[in-house]
Amino acid sequence: MRRLCLILLLTVLLGAGSVQAQADGAESVLIRDVRLIDREGEAEDVMANILIKKGRLDLVTKDRIPSSEADLALDAEEGILLGKLELGEPASFVILDEDPRENVEILLDTATHIRFAIVKGEILRNNLSPVTAAEEEVEKRGWLAYTPPPIALPLTYQDKKRWNHFETKPVSGLFIAAVVLDRQRWLSQDAESEEQVGDLDEFNRGEIRGFRFGLVGTFNFKRPWVYTLAGATNAFDKGFETEKNDDITLFDYRLDIPLFQQTAVSIGKQKEPISMERLIGGLYLPIFERSSVSDALMPARNVGIVFNGVAPNRRFTWAVGGFNDWIDASQSFDESAKQVVGRITGLPLVSADESNVFHLGLGVRYTDANEGLRYRTDPEFNLSPDFVDTGVIDADSSTTYDFEASWRRGPFWLHGEYLRNEVAAPDLGDPVFSGHHLTASWILSGEMRAYNRRSGVFGPVPVARSVYRGGWGAWELALRWTELDITDAEIEGGEMQILSAAVNWWLTSYFSFNVYYRRIELDRFGLQGSSDGMLARVVLMLE
């Protein structure tokens, strides 16, 4: 392979007089979606992005590099790279439009098949297309909402060629959808657990965990407004054998409006700005189904308004919102409980290429408890009764504190959160509930979750080489430990510990197969119960 590279480079050098470079004197060049092949032929191809500054190789990464990092951004369209990639050294390589391993005759007609050539930092040929204006606009504008759409959007969501995209002068949009199929089986349950929660064998079945659908897009003002409308149903919740459908629920309807500089406002039904685990889409967590701590002590969504922004150096984020679910609860505004929620995040450590990131966050949630309070949850299996439950608490108010820390180094990610809920209920002894969870994730195939500097969360697993491109997709192993205690003072809701393990296989960015195991220990009613189970899940999303 080295000899092949030298032959190609010499061919380019000899023909340099008849080739015109088209870099326009750019000091920095970004090349996207180029395929790297193993010289020894032992490893699979890798899709990468390359940044060249002043003729020297500055960065080679699987992760997306913003086009703003370079004077010239080019799209290699999965062309084959041949040459040496040594960081800090003058760049020398060529990019072919076809794979010479499959057709050796390409090497006999290099003038036709070389799309890009650079030798010792000097560009000799450039027939690559620049990154489209639509893609650059998406990156420049980003996604305004503090919480992105519930289903992943492709970077080219504004591409008019997409079959599920529509475009008019005043408004544009993209239809999105996803279906989640589960099959669950409880493996064991001791007598104490059965006395606590009943016989779990009746929950051994499959279900359509959810069918999600929606519409996202923009109102095309000078500074576009972004809208999100998303619904879901847990159709066939009683199992695959039943024909009963659940009601459709609108779980997101909001409008995201830019204000000034790096600030925006989101109005409508949305996630409250607290807890990274809550803000990340549930389909993209290393352990599907959020921790019992998050489910018990924080709501999923609420109706309100959120202001959010980013510090000029993009290392700090802030968000604050006010909420009242009177619309969904079909009550008057005064009857419904009111909440004030806020979150700040920071990056004490971030490397130049963002492969090493350390994140800290603090969130606070206050509610006037106008409708009473109740904390309960299942053991992170949807097909399960509630294992812990405080019952309805007559309280004056409650305040929840969320402390979060995350460290991601390349494909490894460690994330933890501690929650403390202080309930103002003097007649019940002012109980305090708490819990924490710690998750470790390792992407075996080497991909790295991107960090969103606007909202202070990590994104989905990017798939470098999907099964449609001859690869094996992305593989992820994950572990999570959860502890929840909602027994204090006069309240006996229970204490629960859960150990979860997961294997996630993303065949493409829109199709995954997942297997989970959970071991549950429950302390309630003066008994110590144990149980464990497994879940298999398939996720299909509309591309």
Side-chain angles (χ1 to χ4, degrees):
M1 184 60 69
R2 292 178 181 174
R3 182 177 298 176
L4 174 61
C5 294
L6 290 174
I7 293 173
L8 286 170
L9 290 174
L10 286 173
T11 302
V12 173
L13 284 170
L14 292 173
S18 61
V19 177
Q20 182 179 359
Q22 300 174 14
D24 298 327
E27 291 194 358
S28 55
V29 178
L30 168 63
I31 303 176
R32 282 195 177 154
D33 297 333
V34 63
R35 191 185 305 178
L36 308 183
I37 62 177
D38 179 44
R39 293 180 179 180
E40 306 302 328
E42 298 177 355
E44 293 185 356
D45 296 354
V46 174
M47 296 299 298
N49 301 298
I50 297 174
L51 184 62
I52 302 168
K53 291 186 176 180
K54 295 183 178 180
R56 295 182 179 273
L57 196 62
D58 184 73
L59 179 63
V60 179
T61 177
K62 293 182 180 181
D63 300 298
R64 202 162 187 83
I65 303 173
S67 58
S68 58
E69 292 291 319
D71 300 323
L72 179 65
L74 303 172
D75 185 359
E77 299 179 352
E78 302 184 18
I80 300 291
L81 182 144
L82 298 177
K84 298 179 65 176
L85 297 178
E86 297 183 3
L87 294 181
E89 296 297 321
S92 294
F93 59 82
V94 296
I95 298 176
L96 302 174
D97 61 359
E98 292 187 42
D99 192 338
R101 296 170 298 179
E102 299 176 357
N103 182 9
V104 72
E105 293 184 1
I106 292 172
L107 303 179
L108 303 178
D109 188 11
T110 55
T112 299
H113 293 284
I114 290 180
R115 301 291 307 282
F116 182 89
I118 183 170
V119 177
K120 295 183 178 180
E122 181 182 356
I123 296 177
L124 301 179
R125 171 172 290 184
N126 174 28
N127 291 331
L128 298 179
S129 301
V131 173
T132 67
E135 288 179 317
E136 291 179 343
E137 182 63 20
V138 170
E139 292 171 0
K140 179 180 178 182
R141 210 167 52 224
W143 195 259
L144 291 172
Y146 191 68
T147 55
I151 303 170
L153 280 179
L155 287 174
T156 55
Y157 75 93
Q158 289 183 319
D159 184 359
K160 298 179 182 180
K161 297 179 181 179
R162 298 182 65 87
W163 68 269
N164 53 337
H165 176 273
F166 71 89
E167 182 83 24
T168 67
K169 186 174 182 180
V171 61
S172 61
L174 186 77
F175 294 100
I176 54 178
V179 63
V180 181
L181 308 176
D182 283 358
R183 181 69 191 184
Q184 181 177 315
R185 181 171 181 81
W186 288 94
L187 301 177
S188 69
Q189 181 185 25
D190 62 18
E192 290 78 7
S193 172
E194 187 170 350
E195 188 173 345
Q196 290 169 323
V197 300
D199 187 359
L200 295 175
D201 283 343
E202 62 183 276
F203 296 96
N204 290 334
R205 60 178 183 266
E207 67 167 345
I208 298 182
R209 176 65 178 88
F211 171 59
R212 296 183 174 186
F213 52 90
L215 178 67
V216 297
T218 57
F219 293 111
N220 300 320
F221 302 115
K222 184 175 181 180
R223 297 189 67 193
W225 295 11
V226 179
Y227 65 87
T228 302
L229 181 65
T233 177
N234 286 328
F236 309 111
D237 199 330
K238 302 301 181 182
F240 292 132
E241 71 283 355
T242 183
E243 295 183 359
K244 182 186 177 196
N245 294 322
D246 288 349
D247 292 335
I248 293 174
T249 301
L250 286 177
F251 64 94
D252 263 327
Y253 47 84
R254 70 170 188 264
L255 189 63
D256 307 310
I257 305 171
L259 297 178
F260 51 88
Q261 295 181 343
Q262 296 290 329
T263 62
V265 60
S266 300
I267 303 171
K269 187 173 183 180
Q270 58 194 299
K271 293 180 181 179
E272 295 181 354
I274 185 172
S275 169
M276 181 186 290
E277 192 190 38
R278 267 293 171 202
L279 293 170
I280 295 176
L283 298 180
Y284 313 117
L285 291 168
I287 305 285
F288 283 11
E289 304 294 345
R290 290 182 174 83
S291 70
S292 56
V293 177
S294 297
D295 276 345
L297 301 180
M298 292 183 293
R301 284 171 171 80
N302 208 339
V303 178
I305 181 170
V306 174
F307 293 89
N308 70 88
V310 184
N313 62 4
R314 298 182 65 81
R315 294 186 69 161
F316 298 90
T317 76
W318 60 268
V320 61
F323 297 87
N324 186 314
D325 69 344
W326 60 283
I327 296 177
D328 276 4
S330 300
Q331 297 174 332
S332 70
F333 187 85
D334 292 335
E335 289 176 328
S336 294
K338 304 170 185 63
Q339 295 82 29
V340 177
V341 187
R343 178 176 181 253
I344 57 173
T345 73
L347 291 176
L349 170 67
V350 55
S351 61
D353 61 358
E354 298 197 11
S355 63
N356 190 7
V357 173
F358 182 60
H359 156 105
L360 292 175
L362 170 65
V364 180
R365 181 182 192 269
Y366 169 85
T367 178
D368 62 10
N370 205 26
E371 302 171 78
L373 300 171
R374 186 175 186 179
Y375 303 100
R376 57 179 173 172
T377 187
D378 57 48
E380 301 172 9
F381 280 133
N382 187 57
L383 285 174
S384 167
D386 289 331
F387 272 40
V388 294
D389 188 352
T390 63
V392 177
I393 301 172
D394 185 11
D396 298 329
S397 66
S398 80
T399 305
T400 302
Y401 302 92
D402 175 68
F403 304 90
E404 58 187 70
S406 254
W407 175 54
R408 190 222 59 212
R409 186 178 181 88
F412 178 77
W413 180 29
L414 187 65
H415 174 73
E417 294 188 33
Y418 169 79
L419 280 83
R420 178 182 175 88
N421 182 273
E422 299 177 355
V423 179
D427 293 342
L428 299 173
D430 293 330
V432 175
F433 308 131
S434 64
H436 61 270
H437 58 88
L438 180 65
T439 303
S441 160
W442 179 30
I443 304 176
L444 301 177
S445 45
E447 289 88 346
M448 181 175 70
R449 290 175 181 262
Y451 183 79
N452 186 333
R453 289 187 178 229
R454 182 171 192 84
S455 54
V457 300
F458 286 97
V461 174
V463 180
R465 190 83 185 276
S466 75
V467 294
Y468 294 146
R469 295 179 177 175
W472 284 93
W475 288 79
E476 180 181 38
L477 301 180
L479 287 173
R480 182 170 71 197
W481 174 255
T482 305
E483 290 193 21
L484 173 64
D485 182 359
I486 55 175
T487 292
D488 190 51
E490 301 299 316
I491 302 296
E492 296 184 3
E495 299 179 33
M496 184 166 59
Q497 298 85 39
I498 304 175
L499 175 64
S500 300
V503 178
N504 303 316
W505 178 23
W506 286 93
L507 291 80
T508 74
S509 297
Y510 303 96
F511 177 30
S512 72
F513 179 73
N514 321 89
V515 178
Y516 303 93
Y517 169 83
R518 286 187 174 88
R519 177 74 180 181
I520 303 122
E521 302 291 334
L522 178 62
D523 182 355
R524 194 179 181 196
F525 306 129
L527 300 171
Q528 296 276 350
S530 299
S531 57
D532 66 341
M534 294 193 69
L535 174 75
R537 169 170 290 180
V538 175
V539 177
L540 298 167
M541 286 182 277
L542 176 68
E543 293 193 50

